[in-house]
Amino acid sequence: MMWFKSINSRGDFIFEKQGLKIFELKFPKWYSHRAVVIFGKSNIEIKPKSIWKSEYIILKNNQKKGSIISNWKGEVSIQFFDELNHKHNFQLISKGFLKQRFEIYNDKMSLLSIITPTVNWKKISSDYELESKANSLKEKHFNELMIYTGFYVILNKKNTASSISGGAV
């Protein structure tokens, strides 16, 4: 069982596998579109490329190592380079309206995972359950993909909540 577990109202979360914490992603400010995480020996920062907030830059130890790009159709392209400088490409696609979920596909459009929100009324927040499908990625690359996927899923939730309330994020 894998989860993105919300730890506060800013959107910070823990990624858990089989009850073990793999990493913790933090948004430094309340309405921030910037996130930081320590993963292995790398300090990873995700930040907007411009004020339009449809493209994000992935920095590992202050070097550009990837990007997250979204379009108006709810499709998100995630690209990152591993330690051997091999490029990894993925698609994150939002499905459903009332019961929204996200599906992660590799570059051959094979389904890797499904992310489904679960509401916790005690915490007044959402955790996300991840269902693994045909996953052929190395564990460290899958875990790194979860950093970028979790970032976007939480940001999407924050943007949706802001637009419903009439505020700007």
Side-chain angles (χ1 to χ4, degrees), residues 47-58:
K47 64 182 187 176
K49 182 176 181 181
S50 69
I51 62 169
W52 302 113
K53 298 177 184 125
S54 62
E55 184 172 351
Y56 296 86
I57 298 169
I58 298 167

Side-chain angles (χ1 to χ4, degrees), residues 24-41:
E24 182 176 329
L25 184 135
K26 295 183 178 192
F27 291 90
K29 296 182 181 173
W30 186 272
Y31 285 108
S32 181
H33 281 83
R34 182 180 153 269
V36 294
V37 63
I38 296 172
F39 180 67
K41 296 178 182 177

